[in-house]
Amino acid sequence: MGIIIAIGLATGCVYALVAVGYSLIYRTTGIVNFAQGGFVMVGGMSTYWLLERVGLPYPLAVVGGMLVTALAGWILWIFIVLPLWRRQAASFVVILATLVFLTVMQETVLHTLGSDPRTLPVWTGGLDVQIGGGRISGQYVLVLVATLLLLAGLGAFLRWTPLGRSMRAVASNRETAELLGVSPERIGALTIVVAAALGGLGGLLIAPAQLTAFDAGLTYGIYGFVAAIAGGFGSLPGALVGGLLVGLLQALTARYVSTTFEAPIAFAVLLVLLVVRPHGLWGKRWEQAVA
């Protein structure tokens, strides 16, 4: 039972990073980026490509994977989202465009690395952790610790740095922020690049413990979106709690019910939660915090 919970929490951390990306982009641009889960896949697969095909040392391959993922986010902003944003395209058009971009990323990886699942060497040197009567890879613990540190650092960045305050200002009121000299377009670009990097790092962290593949981004995107809604769009604590909740539900359902029911149960819990708390677990608190 302890091992199942640990795996669910680690997987939920990746969903939380995806959920944070959804929330950041939505609050600063008003856009729901359904390519967000694809950045998790790109992070893991591009690192594999740099390590195994290019032959870079593992640390350089990790850095390169992060840069490739950040570049993918920048391309999405410059060539797709920004032109549609300037033309004030309908929200469903932008959503469709991000879904198409996700498909392009998937097809690019498919034709570059094939359809076989890939993995990466563990970051913890083969260290295992004793939980109850079993052992689990230390990589899962690393995912949990790294996610907590990342979200704490991101929260401090948003609250205490000038650039972070600019991002919060755009999230609060785009027109007012522009009058005060803050460029919403630059903040939008920064937000998408940061969100892409967070997703890519999630892919780098989880790939050594679980397999990744060209189509993994869709799964991470769906569950990450569920986590974002459950936690309350725009909430860092909510994204974390939502991600952990979804990860635990998925792991427990797969273990004690069936993998077939992972998605139905997750969405059923989301529906119940939205009926009870329409703003999500942290929705109102976050709105008051950034006001």
Side-chain angles (χ1 to χ4, degrees):
M1 181 67 172
I3 292 178
I4 300 300
I5 291 176
I7 293 175
L9 290 175
T11 306
C13 283
V14 182
Y15 297 152
L17 292 175
V18 176
V20 168
Y22 275 121
S23 298
L24 286 175
I25 293 172
Y26 179 76
R27 291 193 67 85
T28 54
T29 66
I31 292 167
V32 179
N33 174 29
F34 278 110
Q36 187 63 33
F39 296 135
V40 179
M41 177 273 296
V42 170
M45 295 295 277
S46 62
T47 301
Y48 171 85
W49 174 71
L50 291 170
L51 179 66
E52 299 294 337
R53 302 290 177 87
V54 179
L56 291 181
Y58 196 14
L60 290 180
V62 168
V63 174
M66 288 286 295
L67 292 175
V68 170
T69 312
L71 177 62
W74 182 82
I75 291 172
L76 172 61
W77 173 257
I78 291 295
F79 295 103
I80 298 176
V81 174
L82 182 58
L84 292 174
W85 204 36
R86 287 174 173 172
R87 292 180 173 88
Q88 298 182 340
S91 58
F92 71 86
V93 174
V94 182
I95 290 174
L96 177 60
T98 61
L99 285 170
V100 172
F101 187 76
L102 171 62
T103 303
V104 170
M105 289 194 293
Q106 290 178 339
E107 291 298 314
T108 301
V109 172
L110 172 63
H111 292 291
T112 302
L113 294 175
S115 59
D116 293 335
R118 309 292 182 179
T119 189
L120 293 170
V122 295
W123 294 28
T124 54
L127 175 67
D128 291 335
V129 178
Q130 184 77 29
I131 299 179
R135 301 183 68 84
I136 191 173
S137 171
Q139 189 72 29
Y140 286 108
V141 178
L142 178 61
V143 172
L144 180 59
V145 173
T147 299
L148 293 175
L149 292 176
L150 278 170
L151 294 186
L154 180 60
F157 169 80
L158 291 173
R159 181 165 294 276
W160 302 113
T161 67
L163 190 54
R165 287 194 291 268
S166 295
M167 292 174 68
R168 292 173 59 209
V170 172
S172 179
N173 191 304
R174 190 184 309 168
E175 290 76 15
T176 301
E178 192 169 11
L179 291 173
L180 294 174
V182 178
S183 171
E185 292 186 0
R186 291 181 181 178
I187 294 299
L190 174 65
T191 302
I192 284 190
V193 168
V194 169
L198 285 174
L201 185 56
L204 288 169
L205 288 169
I206 201 65
Q210 300 177 359
L211 296 175
T212 187
F214 78 97
D215 56 351
L218 183 59
T219 300
Y220 284 113
I222 291 174
Y223 286 114
F225 185 69
V226 172
I229 295 294
F233 245 28
S235 168
L236 296 184
L240 177 61
V241 173
L244 295 179
L245 175 63
V246 172
L248 282 174
L249 280 173
Q250 183 185 28
L252 293 173
T253 301
R255 175 64 179 85
Y256 295 106
V257 184
S258 169
T259 56
T260 305
F261 293 99
E262 289 179 5
I265 289 179
F267 282 109
V269 171
L270 174 64
L271 287 175
V272 173
L273 178 62
L274 290 178
V275 170
V276 177
R277 289 187 61 87
H279 296 287
L281 295 174
W282 255 267
K284 289 187 178 180
R285 294 186 187 181
W286 178 257
E287 289 168 4
Q288 294 168 359
V290 299

